[in-house]
Every structure is written in C-alpha cells, then in structure tokens.
Amino acid sequence: MTATLIWILVALVVIGLYLSWTAGRLDRLHARIDAARAALDAQLLRRASVAQELATSGVLDPAASIVLYEAAHAARQAEEEQREVAESELSQALRAVFGEAAQVEAVRAAPGGEEAARELAEAIRRVPMARRFHNDAVRAARALRRHRKVRWFRLAGHAPFPMAFEMDDEPPAALLDRAA
C-alpha cells in the first residue's frame, strides 16, 4: 500500500513538473511574440517615416509625393484593427511610386536622393523579415496552445490567442534591384 502511494505521488510530481515546463514554454513563446511584435512595429514605423520624409523632401514629382505621403501618414496613424490594411496600402503606394527604374534614378540624381533611396530600401527590406519572425513565433504558440493538455489545464492563463500580422509586403523591384 505504501509503495503504491509513493508511485502515485511520484507520478503526480512528474506530471506537475511536465505541466509547469509546458506553461513556462508557452510563457516564453508569448514573450517572444511580444518582442517580435515590437520589432515589427519599429520596422513598420521606420518604413513609414522614411517614406513620409522622402515624400516631403521635394525629390519626387508632386503626384507621387501626395500618394506616398498620404499612404505613409495613414500607416503611421492607423488604429490596431486597420493597421494591416494601411501597411498594405503603403506597400502598394511604394510599388506604384518606385515601379520603374527611371523614377528611382531620378530620386538618386537629386541632392540627397542617393541616401534617401538607400535608407528607404533598407527599411523596406527589413519589414518582411520582422513580419516573418513575428508570424513564426505566433505559429509556434498557436501550435502549442492547440494541445489538449494546454486547454484542459488552462496553461495559457488569460493571454489572448496570438494573431499573425498579414499584410502585403512585396517591395518595389526597381528600388531594391538598384540598392543591392
């Protein structure tokens, strides 16, 4: 009888340790999501700021400046629910403005244009990487949260279900081809 109680106690301790380890892993994944989201937000803000700065610098033609400025401003001011749409619209505006190599060359030829184009190309290049890191962390947390043990023992606590950040982040080919 005593041996049975000891084995039951050992089994409960092992199960408790396993559940504790799983809860800690889930907590680390949520922290990773928060850090990745902060990095993504920083890259999106940088891209919008550089685009807005370029739009107001006078190196673009007036129509392109207006399109780029309005899209960048909307991306910077968007509420969380509308952020993905606004960032996708900024990506579309960037492709429209820098769709042709002639426009990129005109920007580079202007005073200060070479540095502005390089800075914009770097900002555009970093957004897909930051989004990929964020979405990978979200995917890992979702996979763990789908396990029965996590749901049954409520190991996720009150953390909201992680959501991926889906947006159009295709870069303008003419700008990145020249920057590389």
Side-chain angles (χ1 to χ4, degrees), residues 41-81:
D41 286 342
Q43 293 305 321
L44 291 172
L45 180 63
R46 182 171 182 254
R47 180 181 77 151
S49 297
V50 171
Q52 206 169 19
E53 185 179 309
L54 185 62
T56 59
S57 68
V59 298
L60 296 173
D61 63 86
S65 291
I66 290 171
V67 167
L68 192 58
Y69 180 83
E70 287 180 355
H73 181 71
R76 289 183 71 178
Q77 301 298 320
E79 296 293 324
E80 192 61 36
E81 300 82 35

Side-chain angles (χ1 to χ4, degrees), residues 100-118:
E100 298 177 9
Q103 178 70 19
V104 175
E105 291 304 321
V107 168
R108 290 183 187 284
E114 182 71 35
E115 183 180 332
R118 181 185 51 74

Side-chain angles (χ1 to χ4, degrees), residues 33-149:
I33 289 171
D34 291 343
R37 181 59 189 239
L40 176 61
D41 286 342
Q43 293 305 321
L44 291 172
L45 180 63
R46 182 171 182 254
R47 180 181 77 151
S49 297
V50 171
Q52 206 169 19
E53 185 179 309
L54 185 62
T56 59
S57 68
V59 298
L60 296 173
D61 63 86
S65 291
I66 290 171
V67 167
L68 192 58
Y69 180 83
E70 287 180 355
H73 181 71
R76 289 183 71 178
Q77 301 298 320
E79 296 293 324
E80 192 61 36
E81 300 82 35
Q82 298 298 319
R83 184 93 186 267
E84 294 172 353
V85 173
E87 294 295 345
S88 294
E89 289 173 355
L90 177 56
S91 295
Q92 293 167 0
L94 286 165
R95 282 195 308 272
V97 170
F98 296 106
E100 298 177 9
Q103 178 70 19
V104 175
E105 291 304 321
V107 168
R108 290 183 187 284
E114 182 71 35
E115 183 180 332
R118 181 185 51 74
E119 191 175 349
L120 181 61
E122 287 176 8
I124 289 171
R125 190 176 294 121
R126 288 181 177 146
V127 168
M129 288 187 296
R131 190 174 75 88
R132 193 172 311 120
F133 288 139
H134 175 267
N135 288 349
D136 287 346
V138 166
R139 196 173 302 111
R142 283 177 151 188
L144 186 58
R145 286 183 71 153
R146 283 192 189 105
H147 290 170
R148 270 187 231 129
K149 66 179 176 272

